[in-house]
Amino acid sequence: MMTRFARSLGGARRASMSAMASAALLMLLVPRASAAKASAVVTLTPDNFKELVLDSQETWLVEFYAPWCGHCKALAPEWEAAAAKLDGIVRVGAIDADKHRNLGSKYGIRGFPTIKVFKGIGAKARRPTDYQGERTARAIVDYAKSVLPAFSAVIKSSGLGAFFADEPNLPHAVLFTDKSRTPPALKALS
């Protein structure tokens, strides 16, 4: 025979389970407020293009796109993924070349999407080159890392004094390695 205490405990448990079920249902029905994840792709316009891309010493990959373009829509998640992987190494941007036709025309944009690479220092060095590779995040990342300028040099121990004497007002860094290639992260730092 069940005691009165056991019956009341069972009723409390049922009430608790009912409250939990109601809360779970409410969570499903009410949309959660979530902060929008910040994009690693920089939105470029004619107003910020010169300052961010042309006057920069950083390497930039710039997508010229049109919002109505099916190929651009297919590229968007790959472009976003590439930007996230290149964060801190190469800057990645996108400009609506349909809306900002003058800028697209200036860079010879004839189809969408077109990806241009801006690298180097100075006006002549900032002339863009076209990216012709696959439209996958991995291919874009691999290409971006391969075109990073390396402001590094191989120095023999006999030339170390001259290295530090050159440009004495600038900081100098030395990496001792047995590798024949400079890793992309160190190229980005140089």
Side-chain angles (χ1 to χ4, degrees):
M1 178 169 223
M2 192 180 271
T3 66
R4 181 190 273 163
F5 177 74
R7 277 185 273 185
S8 66
L9 184 61
R13 184 176 287 148
R14 277 193 299 275
S16 175
M17 296 284 279
S18 176
M20 287 175 47
S22 296
L25 182 61
L26 185 60
M27 287 174 55
L28 291 173
L29 296 176
V30 177
R32 287 185 286 165
S34 63
K37 185 179 176 187
S39 174
V41 177
V42 177
T43 301
L44 299 169
T45 67
D47 295 333
N48 67 9
F49 192 82
K50 182 179 184 311
E51 176 188 351
L52 292 177
V53 179
L54 299 180
D55 293 344
S56 172
Q57 294 183 8
E58 298 172 286
T59 299
W60 276 83
L61 293 178
V62 178
E63 175 198 13
F64 292 82
Y65 73 95
W68 47 261
C69 166
H71 294 293
C72 299
K73 290 176 184 178
L75 176 62
E78 298 293 328
W79 193 245
E80 191 67 48
K85 288 179 181 162
L86 291 168
D87 191 29
I89 300 172
V90 172
R91 301 289 307 268
V92 178
I95 184 161
D96 181 345
D98 191 44
K99 181 178 182 182
H100 306 293
R101 292 178 189 214
N102 287 343
L103 196 55
S105 176
K106 180 177 180 177
Y107 291 101
I109 305 305
R110 297 181 203 175
F112 302 114
T114 297
I115 299 172
K116 300 266 185 187
V117 181
F118 294 80
K119 66 179 183 169
I121 301 170
K124 288 184 180 179
R126 297 311 283 181
R127 291 185 186 141
T129 56
D130 288 341
Y131 170 73
Q132 299 292 339
E134 291 179 45
R135 300 311 207 231
T136 64
R138 182 181 189 109
I140 293 166
V141 168
D142 289 347
Y143 178 79
K145 288 179 179 178
S146 77
V147 299
L148 276 174
F151 299 102
S152 59
V154 175
I155 302 171
K156 296 185 179 185
S157 59
S158 60
L160 205 53
F163 171 74
F164 286 113
D166 185 36
E167 302 281 347
N169 297 330
L170 294 178
H172 293 71
V174 178
L175 168 68
F176 295 95
T177 182
D178 59 355
K179 299 192 187 242
S180 61
R181 291 184 48 210
T182 305
L186 293 178
K187 281 185 182 180
L189 291 173
S190 70

